[in-house]
Amino acid sequence: HRFSGGFGGGRFGGFGGQQQQKMPELFPKGGKVVRLGKPKFPDKSSKYIWFVVFYSNDSPASQQAKPQVDTLAEKSAFKVGSVDCGRDAQFCVQQGVDIQDLPRFACIVNGKVRFMETDVHTIIPSARAMHEFVVDLIPRLVQNVNHVVQIRERLLANNNSNNKPAVLLLTEKYETSSLYMNLAHQYKSSCTFGESRAKNLPLAKEFHVTKYPLLLMIFPNKKSMKGGEKWGDSHTVVKYSGKMTQEDISEWLDSMLGITSSSSSTKKKKKQDESNGSSESNKQRRRRRNGEYGL
């Protein structure tokens, strides 16, 4: 138990006892866990996958859950947010939360809130358990491809008419990473996503793979493109050469798709803050950027 004050350290009002101190904010504004609430909460228009903890600062179980939620925010590719039910009880109730039974954990996909089944008074779920809970709910939008014909049939068949590009990952792994699943959901309206696993030899030869993983985009109806290579009669392939992190890949996809948003300036500011010194260690930043499982 934590005691405030100690010998001579507390403030007393007569014989009434020690003045109650305000509980510290578990997930402060500007931290790695995003502060959410009624003014800002994921809805069906959100392109991100969210894990959200509904909590109260004075709840012992919420306090015990904080390290696991922080770890999840450092390691996972999806967004992690928090709602203070002590501050916004009515909003929490509207979301289906029993504010007498905190914390509650939820995954939000396309605006739909799904709660994690757990008894926090018996055991606090680990960061890995939280991660697996979300991964099970991420829509499976990545097509498995093993041959060139499957690229054309599964990734490009409906794209030629609207010039929608395809994103293809060639990897030595046997399962799709949560980072790639998250990217596929984030950019589902702009691209189709495919994956060739386990060092597939035919596709490795087709795209001249020298090192795994290799990420590339295939643009239909493009005769020529800066940094691209002609593929087939009417397609152009552009290979990604940057770091295999959520942040860097997103920036590359945005630039390839011609997407500009306020998030670009935010990313630049983050990089400047990190170069000027940050409370996060280099190891923590790498974990947060890469996600627990890289490509």
Side-chain angles (χ1 to χ4, degrees):
H1 297 283
R2 182 181 297 175
F3 293 89
S4 55
F7 290 107
R11 295 182 180 180
F12 294 85
F15 289 100
Q18 190 172 6
Q19 180 179 335
Q20 185 176 3
Q21 293 185 355
K22 184 179 179 180
M23 297 297 296
E25 179 59 56
L26 291 180
F27 303 104
K29 188 175 181 179
K32 50 200 165 187
V33 178
V34 181
R35 284 270 293 272
L36 299 173
K38 186 175 181 179
K40 178 184 178 181
F41 196 76
D43 57 21
K44 62 182 180 181
S45 66
S46 176
K47 62 181 181 179
Y48 299 107
I49 304 290
W50 282 88
F51 176 89
V52 178
V53 54
F54 296 86
Y55 72 99
S56 174
N57 288 315
D58 58 2
S59 159
S62 294
Q63 295 165 12
Q64 293 172 25
K66 173 180 167 56
Q68 303 301 331
V69 177
D70 285 343
T71 298
L72 184 70
E74 289 177 5
K75 293 184 176 183
S76 295
F78 43 79
K79 299 282 188 179
V80 178
S82 62
V83 178
D84 183 355
C85 294
R87 187 193 307 269
D88 202 348
Q90 184 177 359
F91 177 75
C92 290
V93 171
Q94 290 173 350
Q95 299 304 315
V97 175
D98 179 357
I99 59 174
Q100 302 300 322
D101 188 25
L102 297 172
R104 290 297 308 275
F105 309 105
C107 175
I108 304 177
V109 182
N110 299 324
K112 186 172 183 179
V113 180
R114 298 183 182 179
F115 288 100
M116 187 176 188
E117 295 296 331
T118 180
D119 182 1
V120 295
H121 302 292
T122 302
I123 186 170
I124 299 295
S126 65
R128 178 172 288 277
M130 295 174 182
H131 179 272
E132 291 176 352
F133 162 68
V134 176
V135 169
D136 286 344
L137 295 175
I138 297 178
R140 274 24 183 190
L141 301 175
V142 178
Q143 298 287 330
N144 184 31
V145 294
N146 296 307
H147 305 283
V148 171
V149 66
Q150 291 178 342
I151 294 177
R152 299 186 186 280
E153 291 176 349
R154 299 178 184 180
L155 304 184
L156 298 170
N158 299 318
N159 293 11
N160 289 326
S161 59
N162 56 17
N163 292 326
K164 190 176 182 180
V167 180
L168 177 63
L169 175 67
L170 295 98
T171 177
E172 60 188 344
K173 295 185 177 181
Y174 289 83
E175 294 183 359
T176 305
S177 69
S178 59
L179 193 160
Y180 198 53
M181 285 192 287
N182 189 65
L183 285 169
H185 183 270
Q186 183 178 341
Y187 290 92
K188 63 180 181 294
S189 63
S190 303
C191 311
T192 52
F193 279 74
E195 183 178 42
S196 174
R197 308 183 190 116
K199 294 184 178 180
N200 180 276
L201 188 57
L203 292 183
K205 289 182 178 179
E206 180 71 19
F207 294 105
H208 311 291
V209 178
T210 58
K211 183 181 178 181
Y212 289 101
L214 173 64
L215 185 67
L216 55 87
M217 291 185 77
I218 305 173
F219 290 86
N221 305 322
K222 293 278 187 179
K223 297 294 183 183
S224 62
M225 191 172 182
K226 185 178 179 181
E229 305 171 3
K230 185 179 179 182
W231 187 68
D233 296 331
S234 60
H235 294 74
T236 297
V237 170
V238 180
K239 295 180 180 179
Y240 175 64
S241 58
K243 297 178 180 178
M244 290 296 181
T245 68
Q246 173 87 11
E247 184 176 14
D248 290 293
I249 294 173
S250 292
E251 286 185 3
W252 177 68
L253 290 173
D254 286 348
S255 67
M256 290 291 98
L257 296 167
I259 296 174
T260 57
S261 66
S262 59
S263 62
S264 299
S265 59
T266 302
K267 290 173 184 175
K268 289 180 181 178
K269 185 178 184 303
K270 279 185 179 179
K271 288 187 176 181
Q272 289 174 354
D273 291 343
E274 289 171 2
S275 63
N276 293 334
S278 168
S279 59
E280 285 184 297
S281 67
N282 289 333
K283 185 177 181 181
Q284 286 174 323
R285 286 197 293 270
R286 284 195 299 271
R287 282 178 175 175
R288 177 168 51 80
R289 287 176 176 175
N290 288 342
E292 184 176 4
Y293 307 101
L295 292 181

